Amino acid sequence: MMIKNIKLVCVLLCIATLYSCDKYLDIQPVGQVIPRTAKEFRALLAEAYNYVPEDRGLAAFRSDEMLMDASLATEDLNSFKDIWIWNDVSASETTTSFKWREFYRALFTANYTIESENMIEEGTADEVRQLVGESYMLRAYVHFLLVNLYGEPYTHCDPATSKAIPLKLNSDTEAVLTRNTVGEVYSSILSDLVEAEKYLNVDKWELGYNYRFTTLAVNALRSRVYLYMGDWAKSLEASEAVLSVNNQLVDMSSSTILPNEYNSSENILALEEVMNAQYVRAAKVATSLWKLYGTGDLRKSKYFKQVTASNIQVIKGGSNQYRCSFRVGEIYLNAAEAALMTGEAAIDVARENLLTLMEKRYTANAYATKEAAVNAMGWDELLQEIYNERTRELAFEGHRWFDLRRTTRPRLEKTFGGTSYVLEENDSRYTIRIPSEAIEANPGLAN
């Protein structure tokens, strides 16, 4: 037992000292001792929040949102080109890595906090329960990100047999992990959400601390999880539960704050800086995405800056100001899609949710045209419009790659230097390979 405690001290020491807190988190590292008090566990959990990488943003390079060409800096081309052209087998050594290890570091801390519930000192019962509830949420969210990066999409596999990623549900650093099925991972996520709901007692954090999970974040994550599962009725139910508490949308005709800013009225969880400065510097807007924004769409000039006809830059990212993991705009889109997919009987509910969002994103004249068009659409047309609006609204917020995976998995083609690169429909590269270094450390992950 003493040896195990020494190993635990070493692990916690590494976690606390190797990764400095972002100033946005406004909290000091734990230090060199095993956490004992609620304050120390809060600091440890803040470090774990800080581990969650911007891999949703990195995955955006694989989608059809971005354009890369020879005008980019050599550093950026070396870092991201192989991801952009889906070259996973022979990628350059300079290619930016997806951060498998950081996800599991976050999971270690979440598990350790959950296991320590009855040992946390110098905190009120509510404070301790909030810490544990946040840890269940962090564990659920990290597993959700991992399974959607490295596992087959739930809607395009047999979840009961398709192998995905290892679940990590304890702080044992000696256990050899094996891959769980997609279904097992999703079941664990949903179970953790149930537990989190029992513990969480903070409805809203003050700005600067809203990277922490709240009671509202539970149904926000449920809304997305069930959407990805194709469980439309439950996704709609969770979406409506969120909107019953916060249905505030940024009015883009008057607001100077973008919907995905951490201080936006829409922001539900400001955890990830999805598009960090390096990603934004390398991210030109693809022509196909640019053309989706029609006349009167206020987002066209607020989300992007057109420098030249072929050089359109991203505004909605590149700093801590744009930390956003969940927001109200997404929830309206989840509700619209989920309602429509439940069947013809809910088509009016789908229209209502879609139009509520659109009204805040277009000029008055453009919205009137859109409203008439949406109300005249049949089921198939409306589904495509929901998909298109989702692409416009959530551009460069880390959703597009996952939306492509879970829906049609279409054929994508990109051109660089006169050479075409193709991701075929239903291509196996819609699922990212587990990193080679992880397999070298644990060969069982290859199976």
Side-chain angles (χ1 to χ4, degrees):
M1 181 63 70
M2 183 176 294
I3 293 175
K4 188 170 183 180
N5 284 340
I6 291 172
K7 288 182 178 179
L8 183 57
V9 171
C10 291
V11 171
L12 292 172
L13 176 58
C14 289
I15 286 174
T17 60
L18 290 182
Y19 292 84
S20 61
C21 279
D22 191 296
K23 290 181 180 178
Y24 175 85
L25 300 179
D26 193 27
I27 198 162
Q28 296 299 313
V30 171
Q32 300 183 12
V33 297
I34 293 178
R36 179 178 58 83
T37 67
K39 183 178 180 180
E40 290 166 346
F41 271 95
R42 170 54 70 191
L44 182 65
L45 193 56
E47 292 283 353
Y49 279 128
N50 208 33
Y51 302 152
V52 179
E54 299 92 359
D55 279 8
R56 285 202 297 136
L58 189 56
F61 284 89
R62 300 177 75 87
S63 76
D64 55 356
E65 291 179 309
M66 293 187 189
L67 170 68
M68 298 193 78
D69 58 34
S71 70
L72 291 173
T74 300
E75 177 188 354
D76 293 329
L77 288 174
N78 290 341
S79 296
F80 306 117
K81 181 187 171 186
D82 280 325
I83 298 173
W84 187 71
I85 63 174
W86 316 290
N87 179 20
D88 302 329
V89 176
S90 56
S92 166
E93 291 182 357
T94 61
T95 299
T96 299
S97 298
F98 286 87
K99 297 173 180 61
W100 174 274
R101 182 176 296 180
E102 279 75 1
F103 282 120
Y104 281 94
R105 283 192 174 116
L107 286 172
F108 172 86
T109 300
N111 286 320
Y112 182 69
T113 305
I114 291 168
E115 293 164 0
S116 302
E117 177 186 355
N118 295 325
M119 297 180 287
I120 300 175
E121 303 173 1
E122 299 178 18
T124 67
D126 280 349
E127 287 172 338
V128 172
R129 290 184 66 79
Q130 177 67 25
L131 286 166
V132 174
E134 288 178 47
S135 297
Y136 275 115
M137 283 296 294
L138 182 60
R139 189 167 78 178
Y141 189 50
V142 167
H143 280 137
F144 179 72
L145 294 175
L146 282 167
V147 75
N148 280 285
L149 287 166
Y150 301 103
E152 290 288 320
Y154 193 98
T155 50
H156 289 277
C157 72
D158 179 353
T161 60
S162 181
K163 290 291 185 69
I165 52 98
L167 282 167
K168 185 57 179 169
L169 302 174
N170 59 57
S171 63
D172 185 353
T173 59
E174 298 179 352
V176 178
L177 301 179
T178 58
R179 293 171 68 194
N180 292 87
T181 66
V182 171
E184 288 170 337
V185 177
Y186 270 85
S187 292
S188 177
I189 292 166
L190 293 173
S191 176
D192 277 349
L193 290 177
V194 171
E195 292 305 307
E197 201 164 37
K198 297 175 184 176
Y199 281 89
L200 290 169
N201 50 72
V202 173
D203 297 330
K204 186 176 182 179
W205 292 102
E206 63 183 284
L207 290 179
Y209 293 95
N210 54 331
Y211 62 87
R212 301 172 181 173
F213 289 101
T214 61
T215 55
L216 190 60
V218 178
N219 277 318
L221 180 51
R222 274 200 186 109
S223 169
R224 193 185 297 175
V225 170
Y226 282 126
L227 192 81
Y228 282 33
M229 294 175 70
D231 193 333
W232 312 115
K234 289 182 179 178
S235 179
L236 178 59
E237 180 182 12
S239 300
E240 290 177 337
V242 173
L243 296 175
S244 69
V245 177
N246 182 3
N247 63 0
Q248 298 299 306
L249 288 166
V250 169
D251 187 342
M252 296 194 72
S253 66
S254 57
S255 177
T256 59
I257 296 176
L258 295 183
N260 67 315
E261 295 186 48
Y262 86 98
N263 57 339
S264 162
S265 59
E266 291 193 25
N267 206 312
I268 296 170
L269 182 70
L271 174 56
E272 297 152 284
E273 184 187 339
V274 177
M275 293 294 293
N276 64 31
Q278 189 181 15
Y279 297 170
V280 168
R281 188 180 67 228
K284 291 186 177 182
V285 178
T287 303
S288 58
L289 173 59
W290 183 244
K291 288 180 177 178
L292 276 180
Y293 296 90
T295 302
D297 192 326
L298 297 165
R299 293 166 295 197
K300 192 170 186 177
S301 61
K302 294 201 174 187
Y303 282 5
F304 311 111
K305 177 182 178 181
Q306 185 172 21
V307 180
T308 67
S310 60
N311 182 7
I312 303 160
Q313 299 173 353
V314 177
I315 293 175
K316 56 186 302 197
S319 75
N320 275 331
Q321 186 72 19
Y322 302 96
R323 281 187 177 268
C324 185
S325 298
F326 298 94
R327 66 178 177 88
V328 173
E330 179 204 348
I331 303 301
Y332 272 108
L333 289 163
N334 292 354
E337 182 180 343
L340 185 65
M341 295 297 283
T342 60
E344 290 282 352
I347 194 169
D348 287 338
V349 176
R351 287 196 183 100
E352 180 182 358
N353 281 288
L354 182 62
L355 289 171
T356 299
L357 174 67
M358 284 180 158
E359 188 174 13
K360 302 297 184 180
R361 302 300 187 247
Y362 293 85
T363 63
N365 288 340
Y367 173 71
T369 302
K370 277 285 187 183
E371 182 181 30
V374 167
N375 284 327
M377 288 177 181
W379 194 94
D380 291 330
E381 287 180 294
L382 185 55
L383 179 62
Q384 187 57 57
E385 183 64 19
I386 291 170
Y387 286 165
N388 289 344
E389 188 63 20
R390 191 175 179 91
T391 304
R392 290 184 285 256
E393 174 67 15
L394 302 177
F396 295 97
E397 292 184 41
H399 293 273
R400 181 61 176 167
W401 175 248
F402 297 107
D403 283 343
L404 290 170
R405 278 169 39 88
R406 71 177 178 84
T407 56
T408 59
R409 299 213 295 182
R411 181 183 187 274
L412 301 180
E413 184 173 356
K414 298 175 180 178
T415 302
F416 187 93
T419 302
S420 292
Y421 302 91
V422 176
L423 186 72
E424 297 291 354
E425 184 178 359
N426 294 318
D427 199 300
S428 62
R429 290 172 294 172
Y430 267 110
T431 297
I432 298 171
R433 296 180 171 206
I434 292 176
S436 57
E437 58 268 28
I439 295 175
E440 288 172 8
N442 181 359
L445 296 179
N447 303 317

